[in-house]
Amino acid sequence: MLRVVKVRLYPDTQQQQLLAQAFGSCRWLWNYCLNLMNKTYKESGKGLSGYEVKKIIPQLKKEYEWLSLTYSQCLQQVCLNLGVAFNNFFEKRAKYPRFKSKHGKQSIQYPQNVKVKDNCLTLPKIGDVIAVIHRQIEGKVKTVTVSKNCYNQYFASILFDDGKDKPEQKADGKAIGIDLGLTHFAVTSDGSKFDNPRILNKHEKNLRLKQQQLSRKQKGSNNRVKARKKVARVQRKITNCREDFLHKLSRRIVNENQVIVVENINVLGMMQNHKLAKSIQSVGWGMFCTMLKYKAEMSGKIYLEVDRFFPSSKTCHVCLNQVASLPLDIRFWTCENCQTRHDRDINASINLRDEGLRIFTSGTGDKACRPDVSRSKGGRKKSTTTLSVGQEAHTVPSGQCG
């Protein structure tokens, strides 16, 4: 099973210069190949693959001798990564590849010949770099990605194969549904509520002050470089606090439950609401779901996502009666059919859990709603959709499933 461990590096002054040279060479090669691909497509209408641009590296080394100072396989990996970036773009998994800047995060990738020791990493043409290896690395090392952030901190992401098989997923155990929100970051089907830490609000005043100081510095001056590092330091603090909260919460949920069900949230679509965009961006829903997913897979747990159009908040989990509308300002409501009083968030998490179990036990992955059915020009059609859980069924208007 493939695993990744990210460790902190502490290179000396000479090693920092060698790494800076390697970062610059790989960045220059990326921009050169991307520009070549763009020109070739404009002139001939045909693009170049990563393997095709990799063949021009020997010729570039003769023309630019300083490229030979960088490990050759790092340069080759740049071309292959550029080809992967274009494949992701054509398959609509990512945006069009962009040119890299010397400002911001820098990284290089070693596909092989990196040795991991007790307290250091041996990098080709760099030497032994002091590292804080906080987790045991057993197995064959695949690739090592060395990166530097805006605050001049160095890290190495080590991808290795531990030789173990992925644990078999079993559904025997506790199942839980999680409803994500802004007031409460997560509300579970067992009634637990985890408050939103609002980390950005705690550091917003300091960040605003540092950004104002940066905007007043003259471009190209040393003072502007110092001010940029101060901004990067505050942003790094915010990132570390957010990741710490998400890691601890996701680990706790995975350890305590066997089946985890969340809603497939359209974060980009929700950020179109400018009143909530800042809060949604800083809360980290997507990162949290990613952590839940890979931690569940590594632990043999089951991670499921329910379609975003499933009416989890508007459906009574007791009798499956669905209300016509439920504005966001209504946090508690009473079912007209069974007179059960519901907490909006807890009711939604229970419905997510039940729907996730229904999808899992059915074995087909069918969902109760059909988001691909668009609204007709003349208005909504008065058709119905049946929601079924076990042997119970409830008929609701299909236009209300969103």
Side-chain angles (χ1 to χ4, degrees):
M1 183 171 61
L2 296 178
R3 300 173 65 93
V4 178
V5 174
K6 188 174 182 179
V7 300
R8 178 77 181 273
L9 299 180
Y10 293 92
D12 55 29
T13 303
Q14 183 179 2
Q15 291 172 343
Q16 289 182 13
Q17 294 177 355
L18 294 175
L19 286 173
Q21 192 174 45
F23 291 146
S25 299
C26 292
R27 182 181 65 247
W28 180 89
L29 182 61
W30 172 283
N31 294 338
Y32 181 89
C33 295
L34 179 57
N35 184 51
L36 179 62
M37 288 180 171
N38 294 337
K39 285 185 177 180
T40 304
Y41 180 77
K42 290 180 180 179
E43 294 174 358
S44 63
K46 297 181 180 180
L48 297 175
S49 64
Y51 292 96
E52 291 174 340
V53 295
K54 188 177 72 171
K55 297 178 182 179
I56 68 174
I57 293 180
Q59 180 181 354
L60 291 175
K61 285 184 177 181
K62 295 179 181 179
E63 186 176 355
Y64 305 96
E65 296 181 357
W66 44 268
L67 282 176
S68 302
L69 301 176
T70 304
Y71 187 49
S72 60
Q73 293 195 10
C74 291
L75 300 177
Q76 296 174 9
Q77 194 65 34
V78 169
C79 300
L80 298 180
N81 290 341
L82 184 59
V84 173
F86 270 100
N87 291 336
N88 292 335
F89 166 72
F90 290 127
E91 295 179 7
K92 298 182 180 181
R93 291 194 298 264
K95 295 182 179 180
Y96 192 83
R98 297 183 298 178
F99 292 97
K100 293 188 177 181
S101 171
K102 65 179 180 180
H103 304 292
K105 182 179 178 180
Q106 308 293 322
S107 65
I108 55 175
Q109 190 173 14
Y110 292 88
Q112 57 184 3
N113 296 334
V114 177
K115 297 181 181 179
V116 181
K117 300 180 181 179
D118 293 336
N119 58 351
C120 66
L121 291 181
T122 303
L123 303 176
K125 291 195 175 186
I126 303 294
D128 294 339
V129 182
I130 298 177
V132 179
I133 303 178
H134 59 284
R135 294 176 184 263
Q136 192 172 7
I137 300 175
E138 297 179 348
K140 182 180 179 181
V141 177
K142 295 289 187 179
T143 61
V144 176
T145 302
V146 179
S147 60
K148 184 190 76 169
N149 60 18
C150 299
Y151 194 58
N152 292 334
Q153 294 176 329
Y154 294 83
F155 298 91
S157 298
I158 306 172
L159 174 66
F160 64 98
D161 189 355
D162 59 4
K164 301 178 182 179
D165 295 331
K166 184 179 293 186
E168 183 181 357
Q169 294 182 342
K170 297 180 181 179
D172 300 334
K174 181 181 177 182
I176 191 172
I178 304 175
D179 181 64
L180 301 177
L182 293 178
T183 303
H184 297 285
F185 177 80
V187 179
T188 61
S189 55
D190 57 5
S192 300
K193 294 185 178 182
F194 300 94
D195 291 334
N196 184 0
R198 302 186 186 277
I199 298 169
L200 181 60
N201 294 349
K202 299 178 182 179
H203 301 273
E204 189 173 16
K205 183 178 180 180
N206 188 21
L207 180 61
R208 185 187 301 111
L209 178 63
K210 297 296 189 296
Q211 288 176 336
Q212 288 175 351
Q213 294 175 355
L214 174 62
S215 65
R216 297 189 182 105
K217 297 297 185 290
Q218 184 178 359
K219 293 185 178 180
S221 63
N222 292 332
N223 287 334
R224 186 175 179 85
V225 175
K226 297 177 183 178
R228 185 185 294 114
K229 291 182 179 180
K230 292 181 180 179
V231 174
R233 184 175 184 176
V234 179
Q235 291 175 337
R236 184 65 186 174
K237 178 67 174 179
I238 296 172
T239 302
N240 289 340
C241 294
R242 181 189 298 114
E243 290 181 354
D244 179 73
F245 168 76
L246 297 179
H247 273 298
K248 290 179 179 178
L249 180 57
S250 59
R251 173 50 59 190
R252 174 180 174 179
I253 292 176
V254 171
N255 289 345
E256 296 178 353
N257 303 278
Q258 187 65 27
V259 180
I260 303 169
V261 185
V262 298
E263 185 179 5
N264 181 16
I265 300 177
N266 182 14
V267 179
L268 294 179
M270 296 178 65
M271 287 180 60
Q272 299 301 318
N273 184 350
H274 299 294
K275 295 182 179 180
L276 300 176
K278 186 176 181 179
S279 300
I280 294 174
Q281 185 180 24
S282 63
V283 74
W285 288 335
M287 185 183 297
F288 178 69
C289 293
T290 301
M291 292 179 179
L292 282 178
K293 185 175 182 179
Y294 81 78
K295 290 178 181 178
E297 291 179 354
M298 293 173 59
S299 304
K301 308 296 179 70
I302 298 174
Y303 172 85
L304 297 172
E305 289 187 355
V306 175
D307 192 271
R308 67 191 63 159
F309 293 96
F310 177 71
S312 57
S313 299
K314 298 188 293 184
T315 303
C316 173
H317 71 271
V318 178
C319 64
L320 301 183
N321 177 53
Q322 181 180 337
V323 296
S325 63
L326 192 66
L328 290 175
D329 57 342
I330 299 178
R331 310 314 300 176
F332 296 90
W333 61 282
T334 303
C335 178
E336 298 179 353
N337 188 31
C338 63
Q339 303 302 318
T340 304
R341 181 171 175 79
H342 294 295
D343 183 310
R344 179 194 183 103
D345 298 328
I346 297 179
N347 176 67
S349 60
I350 294 175
N351 284 324
L352 290 174
R353 180 199 61 188
D354 295 341
E355 175 67 9
L357 292 176
R358 186 196 68 81
I359 295 173
F360 178 74
T361 55
S362 66
T364 60
D366 291 338
K367 298 178 175 60
C369 294
R370 297 295 303 277
D372 54 335
V373 179
S374 60
R375 186 184 303 179
S376 61
K377 294 182 180 180
R380 295 188 179 184
K381 295 182 179 180
K382 297 182 179 179
S383 58
T384 59
T385 302
T386 300
L387 302 177
S388 60
V389 179
Q391 296 180 351
E392 299 180 359
H394 180 67
T395 303
V396 296
S398 60
Q400 299 175 1
C401 289

